[in-house]
PDB file of all heavy atoms in Angstrom:
ATOM      1  N   LEU A 331      21.588 -11.334 -16.201  1.00 76.00           N
ATOM      2  CA  LEU A 331      22.189 -12.449 -16.920  1.00 76.00           C
ATOM      3  C   LEU A 331      23.482 -12.019 -17.613  1.00 76.00           C
ATOM      4  O   LEU A 331      23.621 -10.876 -18.030  1.00 76.00           O
ATOM      5  CB  LEU A 331      21.212 -12.967 -17.980  1.00 76.00           C
ATOM      6  CG  LEU A 331      19.956 -13.681 -17.497  1.00 76.00           C
ATOM      7  CD1 LEU A 331      19.250 -14.313 -18.680  1.00 76.00           C
ATOM      8  CD2 LEU A 331      20.297 -14.727 -16.465  1.00 76.00           C
ATOM      9  N   ASP A 332      24.403 -12.958 -17.706  1.00 83.00           N
ATOM     10  CA  ASP A 332      25.557 -12.736 -18.569  1.00 83.00           C
ATOM     11  C   ASP A 332      25.144 -13.001 -20.010  1.00 83.00           C
ATOM     12  O   ASP A 332      24.178 -13.700 -20.279  1.00 83.00           O
ATOM     13  CB  ASP A 332      26.683 -13.711 -18.196  1.00 83.00           C
ATOM     14  CG  ASP A 332      27.339 -13.295 -16.908  1.00 83.00           C
ATOM     15  OD1 ASP A 332      27.359 -12.080 -16.639  1.00 83.00           O
ATOM     16  OD2 ASP A 332      27.804 -14.183 -16.171  1.00 83.00           O
ATOM     17  N   ARG A 333      25.922 -12.425 -20.896  1.00 88.00           N
ATOM     18  CA  ARG A 333      25.611 -12.655 -22.287  1.00 88.00           C
ATOM     19  C   ARG A 333      25.707 -14.138 -22.652  1.00 88.00           C
ATOM     20  O   ARG A 333      24.918 -14.637 -23.457  1.00 88.00           O
ATOM     21  CB  ARG A 333      26.547 -11.859 -23.172  1.00 88.00           C
ATOM     22  CG  ARG A 333      25.731 -11.252 -24.287  1.00 88.00           C
ATOM     23  CD  ARG A 333      26.442 -10.367 -25.122  1.00 88.00           C
ATOM     24  NE  ARG A 333      25.758  -9.082 -24.992  1.00 88.00           N
ATOM     25  CZ  ARG A 333      25.278  -8.462 -26.044  1.00 88.00           C
ATOM     26  NH1 ARG A 333      25.405  -8.959 -27.237  1.00 88.00           N
ATOM     27  NH2 ARG A 333      24.680  -7.311 -25.893  1.00 88.00           N
ATOM     28  N   ASP A 334      26.637 -14.826 -22.007  1.00 90.00           N
ATOM     29  CA  ASP A 334      26.778 -16.257 -22.279  1.00 90.00           C
ATOM     30  C   ASP A 334      25.522 -17.012 -21.879  1.00 90.00           C
ATOM     31  O   ASP A 334      25.079 -17.927 -22.581  1.00 90.00           O
ATOM     32  CB  ASP A 334      27.981 -16.826 -21.509  1.00 90.00           C
ATOM     33  CG  ASP A 334      29.282 -16.250 -22.025  1.00 90.00           C
ATOM     34  OD1 ASP A 334      29.231 -15.635 -23.125  1.00 90.00           O
ATOM     35  OD2 ASP A 334      30.309 -16.378 -21.343  1.00 90.00           O
ATOM     36  N   ASP A 335      24.945 -16.601 -20.730  1.00 88.00           N
ATOM     37  CA  ASP A 335      23.689 -17.231 -20.297  1.00 88.00           C
ATOM     38  C   ASP A 335      22.613 -17.025 -21.351  1.00 88.00           C
ATOM     39  O   ASP A 335      21.859 -17.940 -21.686  1.00 88.00           O
ATOM     40  CB  ASP A 335      23.215 -16.629 -18.972  1.00 88.00           C
ATOM     41  CG  ASP A 335      24.178 -16.928 -17.848  1.00 88.00           C
ATOM     42  OD1 ASP A 335      24.880 -17.948 -17.943  1.00 88.00           O
ATOM     43  OD2 ASP A 335      24.226 -16.134 -16.886  1.00 88.00           O
ATOM     44  N   VAL A 336      22.545 -15.785 -21.854  1.00 92.00           N
ATOM     45  CA  VAL A 336      21.531 -15.490 -22.862  1.00 92.00           C
ATOM     46  C   VAL A 336      21.754 -16.375 -24.077  1.00 92.00           C
ATOM     47  O   VAL A 336      20.806 -16.957 -24.628  1.00 92.00           O
ATOM     48  CB  VAL A 336      21.572 -13.994 -23.252  1.00 92.00           C
ATOM     49  CG1 VAL A 336      20.575 -13.714 -24.362  1.00 92.00           C
ATOM     50  CG2 VAL A 336      21.294 -13.124 -22.046  1.00 92.00           C
ATOM     51  N   ALA A 337      23.003 -16.522 -24.482  1.00 94.00           N
ATOM     52  CA  ALA A 337      23.299 -17.338 -25.654  1.00 94.00           C
ATOM     53  C   ALA A 337      22.895 -18.789 -25.418  1.00 94.00           C
ATOM     54  O   ALA A 337      22.289 -19.433 -26.293  1.00 94.00           O
ATOM     55  CB  ALA A 337      24.789 -17.247 -25.984  1.00 94.00           C
ATOM     56  N   THR A 338      23.189 -19.302 -24.216  1.00 94.00           N
ATOM     57  CA  THR A 338      22.795 -20.670 -23.896  1.00 94.00           C
ATOM     58  C   THR A 338      21.282 -20.817 -23.960  1.00 94.00           C
ATOM     59  O   THR A 338      20.752 -21.795 -24.507  1.00 94.00           O
ATOM     60  CB  THR A 338      23.255 -21.033 -22.467  1.00 94.00           C
ATOM     61  OG1 THR A 338      24.578 -20.530 -22.293  1.00 94.00           O
ATOM     62  CG2 THR A 338      23.229 -22.518 -22.251  1.00 94.00           C
ATOM     63  N   PHE A 339      20.623 -19.807 -23.412  1.00 94.00           N
ATOM     64  CA  PHE A 339      19.153 -19.826 -23.396  1.00 94.00           C
ATOM     65  C   PHE A 339      18.596 -19.837 -24.813  1.00 94.00           C
ATOM     66  O   PHE A 339      17.697 -20.629 -25.146  1.00 94.00           O
ATOM     67  CB  PHE A 339      18.655 -18.606 -22.613  1.00 94.00           C
ATOM     68  CG  PHE A 339      17.182 -18.386 -22.670  1.00 94.00           C
ATOM     69  CD1 PHE A 339      16.299 -19.339 -22.164  1.00 94.00           C
ATOM     70  CD2 PHE A 339      16.651 -17.227 -23.216  1.00 94.00           C
ATOM     71  CE1 PHE A 339      14.935 -19.139 -22.211  1.00 94.00           C
ATOM     72  CE2 PHE A 339      15.283 -17.012 -23.254  1.00 94.00           C
ATOM     73  CZ  PHE A 339      14.430 -17.969 -22.755  1.00 94.00           C
ATOM     74  N   VAL A 340      19.146 -18.985 -25.672  1.00 96.00           N
ATOM     75  CA  VAL A 340      18.648 -18.911 -27.044  1.00 96.00           C
ATOM     76  C   VAL A 340      18.890 -20.238 -27.769  1.00 96.00           C
ATOM     77  O   VAL A 340      18.031 -20.727 -28.519  1.00 96.00           O
ATOM     78  CB  VAL A 340      19.303 -17.730 -27.783  1.00 96.00           C
ATOM     79  CG1 VAL A 340      19.044 -17.805 -29.272  1.00 96.00           C
ATOM     80  CG2 VAL A 340      18.786 -16.412 -27.219  1.00 96.00           C
ATOM     81  N   LYS A 341      20.039 -20.863 -27.508  1.00 95.00           N
ATOM     82  CA  LYS A 341      20.293 -22.191 -28.104  1.00 95.00           C
ATOM     83  C   LYS A 341      19.210 -23.175 -27.687  1.00 95.00           C
ATOM     84  O   LYS A 341      18.712 -23.964 -28.501  1.00 95.00           O
ATOM     85  CB  LYS A 341      21.660 -22.712 -27.650  1.00 95.00           C
ATOM     86  CG  LYS A 341      22.817 -22.183 -28.468  1.00 95.00           C
ATOM     87  CD  LYS A 341      23.945 -23.212 -28.513  1.00 95.00           C
ATOM     88  CE  LYS A 341      25.137 -22.628 -29.262  1.00 95.00           C
ATOM     89  NZ  LYS A 341      25.693 -21.439 -28.539  1.00 95.00           N
ATOM     90  N   GLY A 342      18.856 -23.101 -26.382  1.00 95.00           N
ATOM     91  CA  GLY A 342      17.828 -24.003 -25.878  1.00 95.00           C
ATOM     92  C   GLY A 342      16.490 -23.750 -26.555  1.00 95.00           C
ATOM     93  O   GLY A 342      15.782 -24.695 -26.932  1.00 95.00           O
ATOM     94  N   LEU A 343      16.146 -22.454 -26.729  1.00 96.00           N
ATOM     95  CA  LEU A 343      14.881 -22.126 -27.397  1.00 96.00           C
ATOM     96  C   LEU A 343      14.890 -22.666 -28.828  1.00 96.00           C
ATOM     97  O   LEU A 343      13.894 -23.203 -29.321  1.00 96.00           O
ATOM     98  CB  LEU A 343      14.680 -20.608 -27.434  1.00 96.00           C
ATOM     99  CG  LEU A 343      14.231 -19.913 -26.151  1.00 96.00           C
ATOM    100  CD1 LEU A 343      13.999 -18.432 -26.418  1.00 96.00           C
ATOM    101  CD2 LEU A 343      12.960 -20.539 -25.592  1.00 96.00           C
ATOM    102  N   ARG A 344      16.037 -22.521 -29.487  1.00 96.00           N
ATOM    103  CA  ARG A 344      16.128 -22.988 -30.881  1.00 96.00           C
ATOM    104  C   ARG A 344      15.879 -24.498 -30.941  1.00 96.00           C
ATOM    105  O   ARG A 344      15.134 -24.989 -31.793  1.00 96.00           O
ATOM    106  CB  ARG A 344      17.503 -22.637 -31.453  1.00 96.00           C
ATOM    107  CG  ARG A 344      17.653 -23.008 -32.916  1.00 96.00           C
ATOM    108  CD  ARG A 344      19.007 -22.619 -33.464  1.00 96.00           C
ATOM    109  NE  ARG A 344      19.174 -21.171 -33.665  1.00 96.00           N
ATOM    110  CZ  ARG A 344      18.639 -20.487 -34.684  1.00 96.00           C
ATOM    111  NH1 ARG A 344      17.897 -21.100 -35.573  1.00 96.00           N
ATOM    112  NH2 ARG A 344      18.848 -19.195 -34.796  1.00 96.00           N
ATOM    113  N   LYS A 345      16.478 -25.202 -29.965  1.00 95.00           N
ATOM    114  CA  LYS A 345      16.277 -26.650 -29.944  1.00 95.00           C
ATOM    115  C   LYS A 345      14.796 -26.965 -29.775  1.00 95.00           C
ATOM    116  O   LYS A 345      14.269 -27.911 -30.344  1.00 95.00           O
ATOM    117  CB  LYS A 345      17.091 -27.252 -28.784  1.00 95.00           C
ATOM    118  CG  LYS A 345      17.450 -28.723 -29.001  1.00 95.00           C
ATOM    119  CD  LYS A 345      18.183 -29.292 -27.797  1.00 95.00           C
ATOM    120  CE  LYS A 345      19.671 -28.968 -27.805  1.00 95.00           C
ATOM    121  NZ  LYS A 345      20.285 -29.235 -26.474  1.00 95.00           N
ATOM    122  N   ARG A 346      14.133 -26.114 -28.972  1.00 95.00           N
ATOM    123  CA  ARG A 346      12.731 -26.388 -28.661  1.00 95.00           C
ATOM    124  C   ARG A 346      11.818 -26.101 -29.857  1.00 95.00           C
ATOM    125  O   ARG A 346      10.836 -26.802 -30.091  1.00 95.00           O
ATOM    126  CB  ARG A 346      12.323 -25.520 -27.471  1.00 95.00           C
ATOM    127  CG  ARG A 346      10.887 -25.670 -27.008  1.00 95.00           C
ATOM    128  CD  ARG A 346      10.689 -24.872 -25.737  1.00 95.00           C
ATOM    129  NE  ARG A 346       9.292 -24.792 -25.339  1.00 95.00           N
ATOM    130  CZ  ARG A 346       8.851 -23.993 -24.371  1.00 95.00           C
ATOM    131  NH1 ARG A 346       9.707 -23.227 -23.724  1.00 95.00           N
ATOM    132  NH2 ARG A 346       7.581 -23.973 -24.059  1.00 95.00           N
ATOM    133  N   TRP A 347      12.122 -25.042 -30.615  1.00 96.00           N
ATOM    134  CA  TRP A 347      11.140 -24.562 -31.572  1.00 96.00           C
ATOM    135  C   TRP A 347      11.539 -24.645 -33.042  1.00 96.00           C
ATOM    136  O   TRP A 347      10.698 -24.564 -33.915  1.00 96.00           O
ATOM    137  CB  TRP A 347      10.764 -23.111 -31.238  1.00 96.00           C
ATOM    138  CG  TRP A 347       9.783 -23.042 -30.115  1.00 96.00           C
ATOM    139  CD1 TRP A 347       8.730 -23.883 -29.900  1.00 96.00           C
ATOM    140  CD2 TRP A 347       9.758 -22.086 -29.054  1.00 96.00           C
ATOM    141  NE1 TRP A 347       8.050 -23.523 -28.782  1.00 96.00           N
ATOM    142  CE2 TRP A 347       8.654 -22.404 -28.227  1.00 96.00           C
ATOM    143  CE3 TRP A 347      10.544 -20.992 -28.705  1.00 96.00           C
ATOM    144  CZ2 TRP A 347       8.315 -21.676 -27.088  1.00 96.00           C
ATOM    145  CZ3 TRP A 347      10.208 -20.261 -27.580  1.00 96.00           C
ATOM    146  CH2 TRP A 347       9.106 -20.605 -26.779  1.00 96.00           C
ATOM    147  N   GLU A 348      12.839 -24.775 -33.347  1.00 93.00           N
ATOM    148  CA  GLU A 348      13.194 -24.796 -34.768  1.00 93.00           C
ATOM    149  C   GLU A 348      12.858 -26.155 -35.358  1.00 93.00           C
ATOM    150  O   GLU A 348      13.206 -27.188 -34.795  1.00 93.00           O
ATOM    151  CB  GLU A 348      14.676 -24.490 -34.976  1.00 93.00           C
ATOM    152  CG  GLU A 348      15.015 -24.538 -36.469  1.00 93.00           C
ATOM    153  CD  GLU A 348      16.427 -24.060 -36.780  1.00 93.00           C
ATOM    154  OE1 GLU A 348      17.149 -23.718 -35.823  1.00 93.00           O
ATOM    155  OE2 GLU A 348      16.771 -24.025 -37.967  1.00 93.00           O
ATOM    156  N   THR A 349      12.154 -26.155 -36.465  1.00 91.00           N
ATOM    157  CA  THR A 349      11.914 -27.398 -37.188  1.00 91.00           C
ATOM    158  C   THR A 349      12.362 -27.185 -38.618  1.00 91.00           C
ATOM    159  O   THR A 349      12.460 -26.046 -39.083  1.00 91.00           O
ATOM    160  CB  THR A 349      10.422 -27.796 -37.164  1.00 91.00           C
ATOM    161  OG1 THR A 349       9.658 -26.680 -37.574  1.00 91.00           O
ATOM    162  CG2 THR A 349      10.011 -28.233 -35.780  1.00 91.00           C
ATOM    163  N   GLY A 350      12.596 -28.283 -39.337  1.00 86.00           N
ATOM    164  CA  GLY A 350      13.229 -28.240 -40.660  1.00 86.00           C
ATOM    165  C   GLY A 350      12.445 -27.438 -41.689  1.00 86.00           C
ATOM    166  O   GLY A 350      11.283 -27.101 -41.497  1.00 86.00           O
TER     167      GLY A 350
END
Side-chain angles (χ1 to χ4, degrees):
Chain A
L331 291 189
D332 286 330
R333 223 174 241 237
D334 294 347
D335 295 334
V336 176
T338 317
F339 172 62
V340 168
K341 277 210 184 63
L343 283 184
R344 183 179 287 284
K345 205 183 278 166
R346 180 174 171 190
W347 280 321
E348 179 172 2
T349 51

